[in-house]
Amino acid sequence: SIGAQQVSRCTRMTPEQLYTFEDYSCKICSSNIDERTTAEKALSSFQTLQYLPQCQFVLENSSSPYALFYASGSLMKIMTANWRSIDNQRSIEIRNWLFRLLANKGPTISSFALSSLIQLVSRITRLGWIEEPQFQDFPAMVSQLTGSADMCHLSLQIFIALVQEMSQSVGQSLTQHRKTAVSFKDKSLLSIFQTGVTTLHQLKTSLQDARQFDQLRSDSLEIVSRCLSFDFLNSQLDESSEDFGTIPLPSSWRLTIEDPATLQLFFDTYSSSQPPCSTKAMECLVHFASIRRSLFSLEGEKSKFLTHLLNGITNILQNKIGLQDPSNHHEFCRLLARLKSNYQLAQIVQSENYPQWMTLVFEFTTQTFRSPGAPSNSIYYILSLWWRLVGATAYLRDEAPSLIEVYAPQIFETYVSTRLNAVDAILSGHYDDPLEEEEQLKEQLSMIAYLPRCSYQKSAVYLVSLFDPLALNFQNYTCNSMMETPETKAQQCRLAWLVYIIAASIGARAGFSEEHDQLDGQLSSRVFQLMRLHDNSLRNKGIVSGTENLEMAFLYFNQQFRKIFLGDQIFNSTKAYTTLVETLGLTDHFNVLDLLMTKIETNLKYCFASQTIIERTLQFFHEFASSYNGNKLLMKRETTYQLLCYHNSEYYPFLNVCEGKLRELFYNSLGKLLFMHDHIDRFELFIAPFTSNFENLLSCNSLESFCSKKNQFVSLVHDIYGIVNSCPNRRAFSLFFEWIYPKYTPLVVKASELWFDDETVMNPLLKFVSDWVNNKQGRLLFDNSSPNGILLFRETSKILVGYGSRIIGMNPPTVDVYKKKYKGLRFCFMILYNALVGNYVNFGVFSLYGDPALSLAFETVFRLAFSVPQDELLSYPKLSKSYFMMFDVICKNHTQSLIELDTSLFVKWILTLKEGLALTDIDMATSTQCCSTLETLIDFIYTKINQTKDAKVASLCNDKLRETGDLLPNFLIAFFQLVVAEECSNQWSLSRPMFSFILLFPSSFETLRDQMIRSQPSERQNAMMEAFGQLMTDVEKNTQTKFKDKFSQNLHKFCHDVRLLLRAHT
């Protein structure tokens, strides 16, 4: 056995070295952590460019599937990461060699290793597709793999991997990927699709071995499915999306799609196969149903295709072919949904087989609803079909019978009854509870709610007939204080379903009619009566198990009722209130408003044991308080006034047990009520509980006493964050500022120094300060004679220094490093950023009068920023975003403070800018911000060096350039690589600092220019020289905007010409 270093450094491997590589490759898949770590370390160097020949050697000579898998994976990483460093001819040779390897050994290689090899050759083909025509011959090469079932299987596998690879952008810019995908679509995708279809046709009459037959059929179906789901518009589709929309096939596909044998082939394949092949065939039919209608040349061809689809579906439904299988059933539901989504109801109705099709679909729908445990996704697709059918009836001509008005109310009743009947089985644990899947539930409700509108009178009567007996039983249960039983729990779940459905039905109305208003009033009055009854139970018993679903249903109902009857336009004359007056005495919308506020208050007081209910109640309250009209209405009610006066934990116990975010949401909602319409005359009463809490903290006579109230302080910080975040204008913010400063801010400073290492204190505290100094909507614009802006920043500086100077000396946490440290740093960066861009402080005052607040803040934040390792900085998007935002504004307004940095820190900062600059494809916003920062920095240095009036600063700039050596001049190389090698979308942003670098480092630019010219063949050097000459045409050595704009224009043409030149050379 030889060591890892020997394996890594050899040019060619001896049998012993190859054996060692195979052994390590096997151990990488070991469950033993030590063995796996040792093996990964030994083989890590094989993923670098210089070990490309060794990877080829392993693939050529090893028979170990693990070695083949690792070597092919390493070679793929090498080719992807170093594509620009490998000339096209060498890449073509590697591609051809791999193809020969697959042709010779493919059928004998283990499946997982074979898949890796196929992905490798597909990756190389994609990367070189638009660079060299020979790469585009690969599909034709694969088509020649014939002669046996194994070779046919291999060719189909390669086509599958190739189509999948062409949908990815790894190793390419977005522009390059789009060009590659478009070229592949135009030149090869149709032929690959036809290969899959032809293979399926041949298998119908082929006498293959059963295993090989299923294998080839599965591969063919997979090819067709991948071809039809290809991203034809290069829109970067979300692969996790359930519904992909219309498939925009090119016109060149028309003849193949219009051929009736093509569509019939997949219906036949579905009928004659078993899962998973039948499921894949049905998936292909879903794709066929999604093909754009405009593909068909004539209206008759479109009608034939649609009729063919309807007949095929009818045949499946009549004979119940394969629908017992859950996967087939689900794909069939998708097929029905896609059919209506793509085709107009008027076209479907005109089919001669429409009445039979509609009847069978109705029966299928009801059977699906009655099936115990039917998947929510399948139900979603069926409901989307009926939702679209009902919505399209308004556009049908009167003479076209659709049967939808007959079936839709029955579908609605079946859905409701099956949901109620399934409750017992769900509570017994046999199936998942749909009421606990809120997003899926609301999706279903949003569609089922449109069905009863076809016959709302009948549907409303049906709902009432179900609701009244259950509500009566619930009343008996609550009035008699009976113990909860499984039966009462089931009744509450059934009531929850009915409340949800009634709420959705009310919220789905598209217009207003007296008949529907009256029916909505009858349904709403029953829900409000039940809600009052349930609230009485809450006051007596609190929230108990089994009632959460009902509470969530009430909240959903309140949201929908508010949206329709308490929106921006109030309809006092609506017939809905007539019924509410008769049953509940609610004469107008103000009475209903009181009822909703009472519900919010009841939940917050008595449902504190359920975090979910509290959260949903606060979200509803916040939504109500944030709307202009809702806020205005709420402030007219006495219940709201009482809430603003009495809102602490004594009245609302949930504040003692809830998360900090919920406290923030609660007080943010109250703040919006208080400030939105200038009800600031009540500020003193509102703020009184917080004054009392701060006074309690001030009264602590010892540090030990203060520390014992840490939890109280944290809660207080969450609360005041919610308040300050809701301040919308100068008047509101001034009230808050004058209340907290100067009396209580020393407590905040003290806490930042005392609990600097406790993230549960510091994260909310720094979050509060970040918003406190945020001049959103101009709320911090103090009077000209006011010192408040300066005073605010001095307090901010104390907090930053108190926290930062202490946390910097702490050992970095080993677990949850973001929450424990980096989140606090992010808030520090945002605090300084918000303070600097707020435009409410003249920062020159600090240096003029010798106040160290600004310099100490800079020093502290710089130390915090440079304490973060560069790789970790870019690993946390929120942290890196705040980092670059802060330095951008510092560079714009306080550039000299960055020039005065210690050289080692200055170099570290510049290197982070270089990393951020390169993120053109991953994070364009960060790259653009780095461009802005660099432009400001280099413009400052260039201007100061070329001015004579400020010799001290000019000397400082020259010293910094000398100390940093080639660091800044080398940026020119990075800029040219970004704009020439790739078509980056932020080229304009890159051009601005690029011009500044050329002005500051003309000799470096000339050297780079000469190198690029000499790198070209002699016959193309003049063209390259001419391109560089045009780059600086009509551009003077001046940083004025007009010259930068001209340079940006020149750069665009330069990049276009150079790319053409390089491509021609390649």
Side-chain angles (χ1 to χ4, degrees), residues 217-354:
R217 182 165 59 179
S218 177
D219 290 341
S220 301
L221 291 169
E222 185 67 32
I223 284 178
V224 172
S225 178
R226 288 192 182 276
C227 287
L228 290 175
S229 58
F230 190 79
D231 186 6
F232 290 93
L233 296 179
N234 303 297
S235 55
Q236 300 295 300
L237 294 175
D238 181 6
E239 294 181 0
S240 64
S241 176
E242 282 286 344
D243 204 354
F244 46 81
T246 302
I247 298 176
L249 287 185
S251 299
S252 56
W253 293 53
R254 178 179 295 126
L255 293 178
T256 303
I257 300 301
E258 286 183 349
D259 184 359
T262 303
L263 184 58
Q264 188 59 43
L265 173 65
F266 291 91
F267 277 115
D268 293 342
T269 302
Y270 171 78
S271 301
S272 62
S273 59
Q274 299 295 322
C277 282
S278 60
T279 304
K280 184 60 67 174
M282 183 58 70
E283 182 181 313
C284 292
L285 288 170
V286 174
H287 294 317
F288 276 105
S290 304
I291 294 173
R292 65 181 176 97
R293 297 177 315 215
S294 57
L295 175 70
F296 301 97
S297 55
L298 300 172
E299 190 67 30
E301 293 296 332
K302 185 196 307 181
S303 299
K304 288 180 183 178
F305 188 82
L306 175 59
T307 301
H308 199 162
L309 273 172
L310 294 176
N311 291 340
I313 293 171
T314 301
N315 180 58
I316 291 173
L317 289 172
Q318 276 183 325
N319 300 292
K320 296 182 172 53
I321 302 173
L323 297 180
Q324 297 79 10
D325 180 78
S327 299
N328 288 349
H329 186 278
H330 176 69
E331 290 298 329
F332 186 75
C333 293
R334 291 185 66 206
L335 174 60
L336 294 175
R338 288 305 308 156
L339 182 69
K340 175 57 195 79
S341 178
N342 195 31
Y343 289 90
Q344 296 177 2
L345 179 59
Q347 296 171 323
I348 298 175
V349 169
Q350 290 173 2
S351 173
E352 59 183 16
N353 204 25
Y354 171 76

Side-chain angles (χ1 to χ4, degrees), residues 890-900 906 909 932-947 950 952-958 960-961 968 993 996-997 999-1000 1039 1044:
I890 292 175
C891 194
K892 280 181 170 59
N893 301 319
H894 306 274
T895 316
Q896 187 171 334
S897 64
L898 294 169
I899 300 293
E900 293 172 349
F906 183 82
W909 173 56
S932 173
T933 306
L934 285 168
E935 179 188 5
T936 305
L937 175 68
I938 302 304
D939 282 356
F940 178 85
I941 295 175
Y942 179 79
T943 303
K944 294 300 180 183
I945 287 177
N946 289 280
Q947 286 181 351
D950 199 345
K952 181 180 178 181
V953 178
S955 175
L956 187 65
C957 292
N958 280 315
K960 192 62 67 178
L961 293 178
L968 289 173
S996 302
F997 273 95
L999 293 184
L1000 185 60
T1039 58
K1044 289 185 178 181

Side-chain angles (χ1 to χ4, degrees), residues 21-34:
F21 183 93
E22 292 174 342
D23 183 52
Y24 280 138
S25 300
C26 183
K27 288 179 179 178
I28 281 182
C29 303
S30 170
S31 58
N32 187 302
I33 297 178
D34 293 335

Side-chain angles (χ1 to χ4, degrees), residues 944-987:
K944 294 300 180 183
I945 287 177
N946 289 280
Q947 286 181 351
T948 57
K949 63 179 181 180
D950 199 345
K952 181 180 178 181
V953 178
S955 175
L956 187 65
C957 292
N958 280 315
D959 291 343
K960 192 62 67 178
L961 293 178
R962 184 179 63 256
E963 292 167 358
T964 55
D966 292 334
L967 176 64
L968 289 173
N970 284 342
F971 264 81
L972 282 169
I973 300 175
F975 279 117
F976 273 98
Q977 286 177 340
L978 288 172
V979 299
V980 174
E982 301 179 5
E983 293 187 14
C984 49
S985 53
N986 63 335
Q987 185 184 101

